[in-house]
Amino acid sequence: MSLAKVTQVKGLALAVPGDDIDTDRIIPARFLRCVTFDGLGEHAFRDERTGPDGLERPHPMNSAQAARIAAAKQGVMVVGFNFGCGSSREHAPQSLWRFGFTAFVGGSFAEIFFGNSTTLGVPCLTLSKDDLAECDAFVRANPEVELTVDVQNLVVTAGAKSWKASIAASARDGLINGKWDPIADLLEGAPAVDQTAGTLAYVVGK
Amino acid sequence: MAKTLFQKVWEAHTVRQLPNGQTQLFIGTHLIHEVTSPQAFGMLRDLGLKVKYPQRTFATVDHIVPTNELKEPYSDPIAQEMIEALRKNTKDFGIRFFDTNTGTQGIVHMVGPEQGITQPGTTIACGDSHTATHGAFGAIAFGIGTTQVRDVLATQTLALSALKVRRIEVNGQLSPGVYAKDVILHIIRVLGVNGGIGYAYEYAGTTFDGFSLEERMTVCNMSIEGGARCGYVNPDQKTFDYIKGKPYAPKAADWDAAVARWASFASDAGCRYDDVVKFNAAEIRPTVTWGITPGQAIFIDEKMPALETLNAADRATAEDAYKHMKLAPDTAIKGTKVDVCFLGSCTNGRISDLREVAKYLKGRKVSPNVKAIVVPGSQLTAIQAVHEGLDKIYIEAGFEWRGAGCSMCLAMNPDKLVGDQLCASSSNRNFKGRQGSQTGRTILMSPLMVAAAAITGQVTDAREVFTV
Ligand code: SF4
């Protein structure tokens, strides 16, 4: 299985502020009533974007900037700390990815969200607290400037600005080598898998 | 060298090192449900792959099952489609399905232990973040995404990096009216909702030694609310006794060897932990959340925090929380009017929870202003409860007695909050919109505190309502 090498992602950026944004907020549970991920993009952040009265609420995802990212199917979401906490639903990164986001930059990411995104080939890069604040402010002030998320060199740049970024080494390795979906590697290990299985009493039925 | 349970289980299940430095880890037990598995089966078919060890995956249906509707087709056609997809997928691939007509269906984290599938020293994965529940048995159990569900189906392995281990020791006796739920809410309050990122939590100490397996499950269940992907308690005699005789428990001839093996997985004395945190059980009081993250919690007799006392980052979340909850900083939470009471979920929907509350509920009545529902987490729990006559006590008190499922823990079935209703809930998440209404409000607490709220119609201290 050959996958694209994700060495860098370039695109317009949207700041979605707040810490501890959970996956129930990213994709409300009622949209999990489905047997495919198709069509999830339009429901990303649905209950933050639309009030109980059905009217649009002020939210970054309702902005013209978000619409541009959706049209380009390419863009960077700049988030806070512990983004994607809560439920393990892959529907969350799936919905944002299908909306058009192809990278995340934030203070920290919940582990399952991070893993789910990486497996989609969507990098989640972490900035220091101060750098994140600066990046966030820059993105808001300069919506027309593209952000470059450089996974290879671990840096986020926008215009003349740049911030040092980090990501788990294994995720970086997978992304830049086009091995972000581990299935090929895992399948390759099949003989060793059978060997391990044979050593586990509960697996062999004892 | 002295090792933690985590290290021992990890080593026993390591298949090999992957090129990216991660470990290919064998997943001995895979649990699936209707929400996060259909896309995984779809990917499997797209890739032309088979299920590698069909006998090591077990399925049930829980999230979308209506708890007041037994007959199919369900009134929600999407729910019907999802249950049928799971029936087809499990049939096509030869996977055991604990379906609704078997008397064994239930919340996935209850079915595993009830069947004796959940065992010490094993690895367990499920496309559900509360999989750490199974850690109560000394298993390394964690939630995974849908693509990883595909990985386990196709290869019985996952690509993972090892976690650090934080030992959380709780010592001493809990006061009357204080429960395992209060212990975990307190731990999350102190260590924070992201304090566990990168860690497996090892829960230990005399309080845990004294806990039943069901109490241990309540704590392990909410590890993820503290940011820890996995949490466990070292296996002991109580663990072995709980498993004995369950359908998937080792048979008599294999039993002694199994127990010896299980016991050998417990963390060694003198092993090194990446972090150790200690709590005194006597200091923990009944705990309730006041905000929109499980870490925004206080003891029932405390005031909610004044904004000035919080650091800048916490303050922003708190302001958002107060606005959503329609509560005021620096005031008491006691006395807050409650509209709905929900007793159930994989945190607190077990037989011991139902028994404990029933003990105090006899002769009491739910407030006329409250809708109270009790939802056994599994069919086996429901059958046992009815056998003991617990259902009558609840119905007599004014609770609605429901069928097994996730129910009002999340908004995927007909049990939902309406408008800005406030729910006293024994579940695990108080996120905005979690219980089905965008403006709905959730206060997490122990089952007995839920019962006290049901009777008085307000958030209250169960120790003042009942003689504990
Ligand atoms: S009861 Fe709640 S937390 Fe548990 S599996 Fe169901 S929805 Fe998830």
Side-chain angles (χ1 to χ4, degrees):
Chain A
M1 210 163 68
S2 80
L3 301 167
K5 295 185 176 173
V6 184
T7 50
Q8 67 170 43
V9 177
K10 205 171 166 180
L12 294 174
L14 183 74
V16 175
D19 295 339
D20 304 322
I21 292 189
D22 58 75
T23 53
D24 273 85
R25 276 158 84 175
I26 298 172
I27 185 85
R30 63 181 182 280
F31 300 115
L32 272 53
R33 291 162 54 256
C34 57
V35 291
T36 75
F37 289 131
D38 299 343
L40 279 182
E42 59 183 290
H43 299 305
F45 282 107
R46 172 55 63 211
D47 289 348
E48 312 258 298
R49 298 168 62 191
T50 317
D53 47 12
L55 298 176
E56 258 192 21
R57 293 209 266 196
H59 189 275
M61 288 287 281
N62 287 332
S63 64
Q65 182 78 348
R68 278 181 220 114
I69 289 170
K73 285 279 167 248
Q74 191 166 321
V76 184
M77 184 177 279
V78 179
V79 299
F81 284 78
N82 199 24
F83 186 75
C85 61
S87 151
S88 62
R89 58 188 73 160
E90 188 166 314
H91 306 65
Q94 282 276 358
S95 72
L96 295 175
W97 178 59
R98 282 162 197 267
F99 185 94
F101 291 96
T102 44
F104 297 97
V105 170
S108 64
F109 297 88
E111 280 174 293
I112 303 180
F113 182 90
F114 178 90
N116 285 340
S117 300
T118 308
T119 324
L120 286 173
V122 177
C124 299
L125 265 70
T126 303
L127 299 186
S128 76
K129 199 174 170 142
D130 292 344
D131 284 356
L132 180 63
E134 200 182 284
C135 175
D136 180 277
F138 181 91
V139 162
R140 286 164 204 265
N142 306 280
E144 70 293 345
V145 178
E146 287 196 336
L147 214 64
T148 303
V149 176
D150 190 332
V151 186
Q152 178 100 46
N153 300 304
L154 295 178
V155 59
V156 174
T157 52
K161 293 261 177 207
S162 77
W163 304 279
K164 217 168 105 37
S166 63
I167 186 171
S170 56
R172 174 177 173 274
D173 191 82
L175 288 162
I176 64 177
N177 293 313
K179 292 189 139 199
W180 32 269
D181 183 335
I183 189 74
D185 276 344
L186 294 178
L187 285 166
E188 222 165 76
V193 173
D194 292 331
Q195 214 170 359
T196 305
T199 67
L200 297 166
Y202 72 105
V203 175
V204 298
K206 298 240 162 149
Chain B
M1 205 185 79
K3 290 177 184 161
T4 61
L5 176 140
F6 184 89
Q7 289 167 324
K8 294 185 206 182
V9 175
W10 189 270
E11 283 170 16
H13 291 78
T14 293
V15 172
R16 61 179 191 139
Q17 206 71 24
L18 292 167
N20 70 355
Q22 286 188 299
T23 300
Q24 180 165 10
L25 193 76
F26 191 85
I27 301 303
T29 301
H30 185 209
L31 306 170
I32 60 171
H33 60 74
E34 76 284 11
V35 182
T36 54
S37 70
Q39 297 88 348
F41 283 108
M43 297 178 201
L44 211 63
R45 289 194 177 92
D46 288 349
L47 293 169
L49 296 169
K50 297 218 162 2
V51 176
K52 187 162 169 61
Y53 290 98
Q55 74 281 13
R56 293 313 306 166
T57 293
F58 304 89
T60 190
V61 57
D62 47 12
H63 290 65
I64 53 103
V65 177
T67 61
N68 55 357
E69 209 184 325
L70 292 176
K71 278 236 294 290
E72 293 183 39
Y74 298 140
S75 45
D76 174 2
I78 305 178
Q80 189 62 35
E81 185 188 348
M82 290 173 82
I83 194 170
E84 275 165 17
L86 189 56
R87 280 187 191 130
K88 174 168 169 36
N89 287 330
T90 49
K91 185 158 169 280
D92 286 0
F93 291 97
I95 291 166
R96 173 75 202 267
F97 180 27
F98 298 95
D99 202 345
T100 48
N101 62 355
T102 60
T104 55
Q105 169 266 339
I107 304 173
V108 63
H109 309 309
M110 294 189 55
V111 172
E114 285 173 349
Q115 293 297 323
I117 293 167
T118 302
Q119 295 178 8
T122 62
T123 49
I124 301 179
C126 173
D128 192 283
S129 58
H130 290 100
T131 307
T133 310
H134 307 266
F137 292 79
I140 295 304
F142 39 79
I144 56 177
T146 293
T147 305
Q148 289 176 306
V149 172
R150 173 208 65 184
D151 293 347
V152 180
L153 290 171
T155 71
Q156 206 63 37
T157 62
L158 287 170
L160 292 169
S161 305
L163 297 166
K164 294 181 283 185
V165 181
R166 172 179 290 143
R167 181 175 164 95
I168 298 180
E169 235 178 76
V170 186
N171 290 304
Q173 190 79 37
L174 292 174
S175 321
V178 181
Y179 295 95
K181 180 64 161 288
D182 301 304
V183 172
I184 185 61
L185 285 173
H186 184 67
I187 291 172
I188 297 166
R189 173 189 180 182
V190 174
L191 298 179
V193 288
N194 51 17
I197 292 184
Y199 284 98
Y201 278 175
E202 173 175 304
Y203 302 101
T206 58
T207 311
F208 280 94
D209 295 342
F211 272 170
S212 69
L213 265 289
E214 301 207 339
E215 292 173 297
R216 294 176 190 178
M217 281 191 257
T218 297
V219 174
C220 289
N221 174 271
M222 289 189 70
S223 299
I224 189 71
E225 272 65 50
R229 204 168 170 182
C230 136
Y232 66 87
V233 178
N234 284 306
D236 60 11
Q237 192 57 43
K238 283 186 180 168
T239 319
F240 313 144
D241 292 346
Y242 187 100
I243 298 171
K244 193 156 195 178
K246 299 271 190 300
Y248 283 81
K251 301 288 164 280
D254 300 320
W255 179 257
D256 290 342
V259 168
R261 190 174 66 240
W262 291 341
S264 75
F265 277 103
S267 293
D268 297 322
C271 63
R272 204 190 64 82
Y273 293 96
D274 298 286
D275 192 28
V276 179
V277 185
K278 293 190 184 188
F279 292 91
N280 179 354
E283 286 168 7
I284 302 175
R285 309 206 289 275
T287 301
V288 293
T289 58
W290 53 268
I292 51 170
T293 83
Q296 291 173 320
I298 50 171
F299 293 142
I300 181 67
D301 46 10
E302 281 181 290
K303 280 184 178 175
M304 293 176 273
L307 290 172
E308 312 79 77
T309 62
L310 302 170
N311 67 40
D314 287 348
R315 193 179 309 171
T317 319
E319 280 179 54
D320 193 15
Y322 282 125
K323 204 164 121 221
H324 180 83
M325 295 298 293
K326 304 186 174 157
L327 294 171
D330 205 21
T331 62
I333 195 157
K334 243 166 99 171
T336 305
K337 205 175 129 306
V338 164
D339 305 297
V340 177
C341 287
F342 170 56
L343 179 50
S345 87
C346 60
T347 316
N348 281 125
R350 297 191 182 78
I351 190 71
S352 54
D353 298 310
L354 302 187
R355 280 181 191 142
E356 181 68 13
V357 171
K359 228 164 64 185
Y360 295 101
L361 215 52
K362 270 192 207 130
R364 307 299 287 262
K365 287 277 179 222
V366 168
S367 155
N369 305 319
V370 168
K371 173 190 167 82
I373 64 172
V374 51
V375 187
S378 68
Q379 291 181 336
L380 281 177
T381 302
I383 292 164
Q384 180 62 28
V386 170
H387 176 74
E388 295 176 21
L390 304 184
D391 56 330
K392 291 200 193 68
I393 297 174
Y394 282 99
I395 294 165
E396 183 67 21
F399 273 82
E400 292 176 30
W401 179 262
R402 296 293 188 83
C406 293
S407 181
M408 208 182 264
C409 180
L410 99 171
M412 288 192 65
N413 56 67
D415 300 335
K416 290 185 175 91
L417 295 182
V418 180
D420 70 351
Q421 278 181 330
L422 189 138
C423 179
S425 182
S426 71
S427 57
N428 46 47
R429 286 189 174 141
N430 53 343
F431 298 151
K432 282 182 185 174
R434 171 76 181 181
Q435 293 190 294
S437 161
Q438 229 172 315
T439 49
R441 299 170 291 159
T442 304
I443 296 187
L444 303 176
M445 57 184 78
S446 74
L448 194 65
M449 289 282 284
V450 170
I455 287 165
T456 59
Q458 45 181 265
V459 178
T460 186
D461 190 337
R463 299 172 301 181
E464 293 164 3
V465 178
F466 308 110
T467 324
V468 293

